[in-house]
Amino acid sequence: MKRKGIISILFIFLVVLAGCSAGKVKLPAQSEVTDKVLKDVFAEHGMKVGTCISANVTQKEATSNLMVAQFNSCTMENAMKPDYILDQAQSKAAGKPVVKFNKEAISLMGWAKKNGFSMRGHTMIWHSQTPDWIFRKDFAINGDYVDREEMLARMEALISGVFEELKTLGYIDLFYAYDVVNEAWMEDGSMRASNWRTIIGDDYLWYAFYYADKYAPESIDLYYNDYNEQYKADCIAEFVKTLKDDDGRSLIDGIGLQAHLFTADDVTTYLEGVDILAETGLKLELTEVDVGLGKYQGALVNTDTNLKTQGRYCYELFQGLFERADAGKIRMDAVTFWGFSDGFSWRREYSPQLYDSDLDPKYALYGVMQIKEHAGYDPAE
Ligand code: GLA
């Protein structure tokens, strides 16, 4: 490329960069707007409020301080997923799946305990982020898959192993909820394909809850967790009715609604889904909330206008949830956001969180906190 071309591209880049930072409208600090923090607002409705955590955010002073000040529940973003908690060499040696939490998981539990957090466990039975060798003979990386009986035994060892390890480590009391199964249903009402299902059969879901109920302490609520829940609500509501033991007792305590939303999604439709799920009588929790700007295949730039839309979206969504909780229409112990800052979010291109990447508050934060005058509305609204 000619020198002149490079210079003009550089110039355009600098102009865009300057435009972006100059464009940021700084909102008043939380302490100027309210004497409450997030966890005070949720406590008023009988709920905890959580964020997902990783060593990346617990080990930095600024992010750790923000989380400790605002939240009182947390979920590991990755460190308790099957890929991270199963030890292949020890499983081979023992002839059954061996659960061993890694250094990150143990340090995150230590951080949570030290800072007075409660925890959600996430997750055990999932089609994704699960080692393929757990399904194969001799825990080998290739070769034949095991049969149904062997796979059920492995499922039992995995689930019992999680609770036993947490007891051994002395952290079991931190946990109040566990996502036993993640994302087993499709939007069209069919069951998602997975190795668990192929090898065991469709009743793998029943067995997952049967074993979890057998080994979990009473203090831990057992959850089914899924995304696009507003479109799967009827299907999930039917499914959870099947999770009963021989005496008709429910093996499941709650439904986790991931709530990976977009500002283009309709709040009313979402709340209708919540109402359908509430009719099951089970507890509900929003487990991974983030509200992206735009839609899945169309992220919007974080202009002040778009951020205001997000603020109003959050205001309306949480107004709907708090009203339902206060009226006893939903039983909701906690809401968990999938992060807290746009800078650390897995969906950062959609700017979906309550604080921006400088950890400054967004309209979305004040929307969730129901502080309407800072949630992105026109003064007249
Ligand atoms: C799903 C899972 C989460 C996480 C997100 C992406 O929602 O339940 O554990 O993997 O995807 O971070």
Side-chain angles (χ1 to χ4, degrees), residues 103-142:
K103 278 201 190 119
E104 184 188 12
I106 294 172
S107 85
L108 293 176
M109 289 186 250
W111 178 89
K113 186 166 185 173
K114 180 173 136 223
N115 292 301
F117 280 70
S118 302
M119 296 192 78
R120 300 191 86 258
H122 176 80
T123 181
M124 297 196 268
I125 307 299
W126 192 19
H127 67 280
S128 175
Q129 290 185 269
T130 299
D132 186 61
W133 52 259
I134 198 186
F135 301 104
R136 294 184 192 266
K137 285 189 178 157
D138 303 320
F139 302 97
I141 48 168
N142 45 37

Side-chain angles (χ1 to χ4, degrees), residues 38-39 49-51 66-73 117 337 339-340:
L38 264 180
K39 56 190 169 187
V49 61
T51 172
L66 186 148
M67 291 189 288
V68 172
Q70 301 293 332
F71 298 91
N72 50 12
S73 173
F117 280 70
F337 292 86
F340 52 92

Side-chain angles (χ1 to χ4, degrees), residues 102-326:
N102 66 16
K103 278 201 190 119
E104 184 188 12
I106 294 172
S107 85
L108 293 176
M109 289 186 250
W111 178 89
K113 186 166 185 173
K114 180 173 136 223
N115 292 301
F117 280 70
S118 302
M119 296 192 78
R120 300 191 86 258
H122 176 80
T123 181
M124 297 196 268
I125 307 299
W126 192 19
H127 67 280
S128 175
Q129 290 185 269
T130 299
D132 186 61
W133 52 259
I134 198 186
F135 301 104
R136 294 184 192 266
K137 285 189 178 157
D138 303 320
F139 302 97
I141 48 168
N142 45 37
D144 291 342
Y145 287 117
V146 298
D147 63 16
R148 169 180 161 91
E149 290 315 309
E150 174 61 18
M151 206 60 232
L152 281 171
R154 289 185 181 188
M155 178 188 262
E156 181 166 8
L158 162 58
I159 292 173
S160 62
V162 165
F163 294 118
E164 273 156 28
E165 260 306 279
L166 290 175
K167 263 181 228 153
T168 307
L169 292 167
Y171 287 126
I172 190 98
D173 293 338
L174 281 178
F175 290 83
Y176 65 96
Y178 218 109
D179 293 329
V180 178
V181 176
N182 202 28
E183 305 175 347
W185 293 94
M186 308 294 285
E187 288 76 0
D188 66 2
S190 63
M191 204 181 267
R192 184 191 293 280
S194 78
N195 281 337
W196 290 109
R197 181 180 171 212
T198 308
I199 298 172
I200 295 174
D202 288 358
D203 59 353
Y204 85 99
L205 293 174
W206 187 87
Y207 276 100
F209 281 93
Y210 171 73
Y211 294 135
D213 174 71
K214 184 168 167 189
Y215 294 102
E218 264 308 300
S219 50
I220 298 184
D221 283 334
L222 303 175
Y223 274 75
Y224 173 73
N225 192 50
D226 213 333
Y227 68 92
N228 275 351
E229 56 274 16
Q230 66 273 46
Y231 308 118
K232 299 178 181 172
D234 288 315
C235 163
I236 295 172
E238 279 307 304
F239 159 60
V240 296
K241 283 187 206 153
T242 66
L243 300 173
K244 300 262 163 62
D245 71 4
D246 289 346
D247 303 324
R249 189 180 57 87
S250 180
L251 298 169
I252 182 174
D253 301 291
I255 302 169
L257 298 81
Q258 290 187 5
H260 290 301
L261 298 166
F262 290 97
T263 52
D265 292 335
D266 183 39
V267 176
T268 309
T269 307
Y270 190 79
L271 292 170
E272 281 166 9
V274 169
D275 291 335
I276 293 170
L277 293 170
E279 277 171 34
T280 61
L282 295 178
K283 292 184 178 182
L284 306 181
E285 272 185 29
L286 267 56
T287 54
E288 308 182 13
V289 187
D290 47 17
V291 178
L293 299 183
K295 56 186 180 185
Y296 182 54
Q297 276 158 335
L300 294 177
V301 181
N302 57 352
T303 59
D304 194 51
T305 305
N306 292 335
L307 293 170
K308 280 182 169 161
T309 305
Q310 182 184 45
R312 296 194 301 271
Y313 190 100
C314 288
Y315 183 89
E316 283 163 34
L317 175 66
F318 281 87
Q319 185 181 41
L321 291 171
F322 290 151
E323 272 172 15
R324 283 164 172 75
D326 296 348

Side-chain angles (χ1 to χ4, degrees), residues 29-45 69-70 355 365-366 369-371:
Q30 228 176 303
S31 57
E32 289 167 27
V33 166
T34 171
D35 53 7
K36 290 177 194 164
V37 290
L38 264 180
K39 56 190 169 187
D40 299 326
V41 173
F42 280 81
E44 286 167 7
H45 306 283
Q70 301 293 332
Y355 297 87
L365 174 74
Y366 295 132
M369 295 180 84
Q370 303 292 288
I371 304 173

Side-chain angles (χ1 to χ4, degrees), residues 20-64:
C20 286
S21 49
K24 172 168 160 175
V25 175
K26 202 161 169 175
L27 301 190
Q30 228 176 303
S31 57
E32 289 167 27
V33 166
T34 171
D35 53 7
K36 290 177 194 164
V37 290
L38 264 180
K39 56 190 169 187
D40 299 326
V41 173
F42 280 81
E44 286 167 7
H45 306 283
M47 299 180 205
K48 292 187 270 290
V49 61
T51 172
C52 68
I53 56 168
S54 63
N56 195 22
V57 286
T58 55
Q59 286 173 2
K60 293 184 178 71
E61 210 182 319
T63 46
S64 175

